[in-house]
Amino acid sequence: MSQPQGRDGEGSAAMDCYPMGTLPLDKTAARAEARAVRDALTDPTLRADAARAVRDRVAALGIPEIVQGGCVGGYWPLGSELDVRPAMLHLRQTGCALALPVSGPRGTALTFRDWDPDAPMATGRYGIQEPGADRPVVQPRALLVPLLAFDRRGGRLGYGAGYYDRTLAALRAGGPVLAVGVAFAAQERDAVPCDAHDEPMDWIVTERETLRFGG
């Protein structure tokens, strides 16, 4: 069975990057290995428990106070990604507006549209559910970001299409934007490769712990 493709960008790190060629695996090999690890997490109870634990950890970050009435962008889970929707619905209950990404051509930034859980959804470019064209375009002040692997230096390995790096760079050009990587604890690696253009994560949240990077 073929694996879902085209979700997001290259890995990120809040500190100095590990240059390509200095790690045992380059990004292509690292992605294949990380995807296999995540795909092996098939136990529905484990996955549901992890989604609830991440919801509680995201709730503890104080995002409503950080965004101060602004919008929070999440994602619709693709394949074996951790389901972040419980966390998003909790944020909605606290008064945050929510948004989901709409994928354009490869190499472009994502567009975010307002997400109403009760509104009809459309099927996007990569088969991912997204808000319909009738939903307004918004500018999130915080993003919950999917990933393939992470490390304790803040490194984030994505899918290679460049979406999230370009999106975060574009959003941050207009002011601070909180980036929270979301993952299963099993997705941690000793080190993930990254490049100079990779956008840093402010936090990484798993079902087991919350990691903060930077100030």
Side-chain angles (χ1 to χ4, degrees):
M1 179 177 179
S2 62
Q3 300 296 335
Q5 299 293 326
R7 160 67 85 177
D8 65 349
E10 304 285 341
S12 302
M15 301 176 66
D16 292 338
C17 287
Y18 292 103
M20 295 295 290
T22 64
L23 290 174
L25 297 175
D26 64 13
K27 280 188 173 180
T28 300
R31 287 188 185 103
E33 179 186 86
R35 190 189 299 276
V37 169
R38 196 184 66 190
D39 286 350
L41 302 174
T42 58
D43 185 325
T45 300
L46 179 151
R47 297 184 64 86
D49 288 347
R52 286 190 290 269
V54 165
R55 174 201 63 197
D56 294 343
R57 291 187 176 280
V58 168
L61 296 182
I63 289 178
E65 291 76 16
I66 293 169
V67 302
Q68 296 180 347
C71 182
V72 178
Y75 63 88
W76 195 269
L78 173 66
S80 59
E81 289 173 344
L82 190 146
D83 190 352
V84 78
R85 289 173 295 184
M88 294 182 68
L89 292 174
H90 173 82
L91 291 172
R92 186 170 188 258
Q93 292 173 353
T94 65
C96 289
L98 300 178
L100 289 174
V102 176
S103 299
R106 186 184 178 93
T108 62
L110 296 165
T111 298
F112 281 82
R113 291 187 178 275
D114 177 76
W115 179 45
D116 180 348
D118 297 323
M121 300 285 281
T123 301
R125 178 180 295 266
Y126 301 109
I128 304 171
Q129 293 296 290
E130 59 189 36
D134 60 321
R135 304 301 299 174
V137 173
V138 296
Q139 297 291 315
R141 293 192 58 198
L143 292 183
L144 304 178
V145 184
L147 54 84
L148 283 172
F150 68 93
D151 63 34
R152 287 182 176 264
R153 302 171 77 254
R156 170 188 168 272
L157 185 69
Y159 292 78
Y163 284 114
Y164 273 95
D165 288 315
R166 288 176 174 85
T167 300
L168 282 167
L171 290 173
R172 284 170 168 168
V177 174
L178 183 76
V180 181
V182 179
F184 294 99
Q187 293 175 253
E188 181 180 348
R189 293 292 172 270
D190 290 338
V192 298
C194 67
D195 296 310
H197 66 265
D198 294 332
E199 286 288 320
M201 296 289 100
D202 299 294
W203 302 81
I204 290 177
V205 177
T206 76
E207 75 274 23
R208 294 180 186 171
E209 59 186 330
T210 302
L211 303 174
R212 184 178 183 180
F213 309 99

